[in-house]
Amino acid sequence: MVRFVRVLAVLLLTLLPGLTAPAVAEPAPLPWTGSWETAPSGTAAALPGAAVRNVVHLSVGGTAVRVRLSNRLGTRPLRLGAVTVALRRASGPDAVPGTLRTAAFHGAPEATVPPGADTVTDPVPLPVPAGADLLVTVYTPDDSGPATYHRTALQTSYLARPGAGRAADESGTAYTATTSRWYYVTGVDVRGFAAGSVVAFGDSLTDGNGSTPDTNRRWPDRLARRLLGHRIGVLNAGIAGNRLLRDGTGPSALARLDADALDRAGVRALVVFEGINDIKGTPAAHDTDAFADAYRTLVARAHARGIRVVGVTLTPYGGYPAWTAAGEDVRQRVNGFIRTGGAFDAVADADAAVRDPADPRRIRAAYDPGDHLHFNDAGMAAVADTVHRALTRRPHVTVPVSPTAPHPATPPRSAGR
């Protein structure tokens, strides 16, 4: 076991460069590393006068935090009347006594964020352990227009509708309403001894659709637990409905790459699992050269920042209403490029990991939540294992691939069978 851990550490250091620093005469300031992320996916009606107590699950810990807040999709200036952070107590909106801190913005307790922009709080001294739930409470006193949010949180957060002063409450008594969205908050960085972060970049399969809400069983959460011993954070930049080649739910992958991935703190590796919505969407994408060009562009932009890239093969969706034989042919050809095109530093063959051996156009029944597209908790674990293996291999060596599944002559059985 000791030898395995040592080998694993060596391979992680190879694929994720820069995780160690040379000895220096004076101790360098502890770096910032992304510990949690969500990507803006749209807007909802503003909640003037309310305090939203967002519950977020950290990956790595540290001695201080800073919070990223967004008005990226808003159309009017966003006034932040108060922002606080605290460790969560148990499973509700209560803060652990003594941990609630007020965040400042260049020393001021309030901030106004222009439309189309993000902001970051000043550092907040608060020791946070790895795997902790953090309460990020945002009080918006005014109607600032459409609120930038992440729709598919799969996490219960809380509202105090008469929110003036409630952001500073340790007690959650005033937080009588719930929401399944994250409002305004898009990231938490930690200062400490973390070795860097990995960004999971994708669509609903990465966002977590199909996994059990309030349990943190999305595949990036599972990956975070596997990498915890190496002090590597995992950031989830998945957006349900997102597309690689064009805007869908949220901007296209190419359009949002910098803001949701490359610009995040301490990023060492990017895991790209995106493209199925282009194949099954309207209009459907059929040009595999366009996929190849997009993937190469993503990789080139990441490499320019010194960030390694893992490509994930597109998983089956046979039985889903939008499945077609033509779309399956495109998926197979795109996967052929991901596996053998040489664009990526490593390949995670999620297709091989989750497909049904008896019908490779479909995912295994044990991984299917019932819609024949997404993954249940077991399927999420299988994807996490596959990505973890790819991250622990040397660069420029792809994961061994099982033979490509045959192209179907007839559509798979309907969802109802």
Side-chain angles (χ1 to χ4, degrees):
M1 176 59 73
V2 172
R3 180 177 180 275
F4 171 78
V5 171
R6 288 175 179 167
V7 170
L8 181 62
V10 169
L11 293 175
L12 277 170
L13 292 173
T14 308
L15 186 55
L16 308 181
L19 300 189
T20 58
V24 292
E26 295 292 332
L30 293 175
W32 289 102
T33 300
S35 182
W36 175 87
E37 174 189 356
T38 194
S41 67
T43 60
L47 300 169
V52 184
R53 182 151 283 183
N54 298 280
V55 178
V56 305
H57 188 69
L58 303 181
S59 53
V60 289
T63 60
V65 301
R66 65 184 183 187
V67 179
R68 295 170 180 261
L69 300 137
S70 183
N71 192 26
R72 196 186 308 171
L73 304 179
T75 57
R76 291 159 53 184
L78 166 65
R79 180 184 167 203
L80 300 172
V83 175
T84 63
V85 296
L87 290 173
R88 185 190 193 192
R89 182 180 182 182
S91 58
D94 293 334
V96 173
T99 67
L100 192 138
R101 306 282 189 275
T102 298
F105 303 86
H106 302 290
E110 296 190 12
T112 298
V113 187
D118 295 342
T119 192
V120 181
T121 69
D122 297 343
V124 180
L126 176 65
V128 292
D133 282 349
L134 192 72
L135 304 177
V136 180
T137 306
V138 181
Y139 167 57
T140 50
D142 309 319
D143 185 347
S144 299
T148 297
Y149 80 134
H150 185 88
R151 180 177 182 178
T152 312
L154 296 173
Q155 173 66 61
T156 301
S157 292
Y158 303 90
L159 299 172
R161 294 199 179 273
R166 295 302 185 182
D169 287 2
E170 284 188 345
S171 169
T173 303
Y175 291 84
T176 56
T178 61
T179 178
S180 60
R181 303 165 173 174
W182 284 308
Y183 280 85
Y184 303 116
V185 60
T186 59
V188 177
D189 301 334
V190 297
R191 172 173 275 168
F193 295 97
S197 59
V198 174
V199 177
F201 193 68
D203 48 39
S204 59
L205 301 175
T206 298
D207 209 0
N209 293 49
S211 65
T212 304
D214 292 316
T215 61
N216 301 303
R217 293 177 182 170
R218 312 164 193 87
W219 73 257
D221 297 310
R222 302 273 194 167
L223 179 65
R225 289 194 280 275
R226 286 155 175 76
L227 295 177
L228 189 57
H230 301 281
R231 299 178 288 109
I232 297 173
V234 177
L235 306 179
N236 189 335
I239 298 178
N242 199 234
R243 298 177 71 155
L244 176 69
L245 303 176
R246 62 171 63 226
D247 293 347
T249 301
S252 73
L254 291 171
R256 69 186 185 93
L257 179 65
D258 286 355
D260 289 342
L262 305 186
D263 291 345
R264 298 288 169 150
V267 178
R268 299 291 182 262
L270 175 69
V271 180
V272 178
F273 188 12
E274 185 132 34
I276 200 66
N277 287 327
D278 298 84
I279 293 173
K280 69 177 185 60
T282 304
H286 300 291
D287 183 359
T288 52
D289 288 340
F291 283 86
D293 289 344
Y295 290 135
R296 289 192 185 102
T297 299
L298 290 172
V299 172
R301 287 168 60 185
H303 281 177
R305 304 280 196 99
I307 296 169
R308 303 283 185 166
V309 188
V310 174
V312 184
T313 53
L314 305 183
T315 47
Y317 67 112
Y320 188 75
W323 186 93
T324 64
E328 178 68 9
D329 180 71
V330 174
R331 185 180 74 87
Q332 295 288 354
R333 286 187 279 119
V334 170
N335 280 349
F337 172 80
I338 293 172
R339 289 172 176 134
T340 64
F344 297 100
D345 298 293
V347 173
D349 199 344
D351 172 40
V354 305
R355 68 192 181 206
D356 185 346
D359 187 351
R361 300 162 297 183
R362 302 174 69 97
I363 62 176
R364 294 173 182 263
Y367 297 159
D368 189 348
D371 67 3
H372 314 300
L373 171 67
H374 299 101
F375 310 123
N376 59 19
D377 296 346
M380 291 288 178
V383 173
D385 286 340
T386 303
V387 173
H388 181 250
R389 286 194 296 271
L391 282 168
T392 59
R393 290 178 182 270
R394 295 184 183 277
H396 310 299
V397 179
T398 57
V399 177
V401 178
S402 56
T404 302
H407 298 307
T410 58
R413 60 189 184 278
S414 68
R417 292 183 60 185

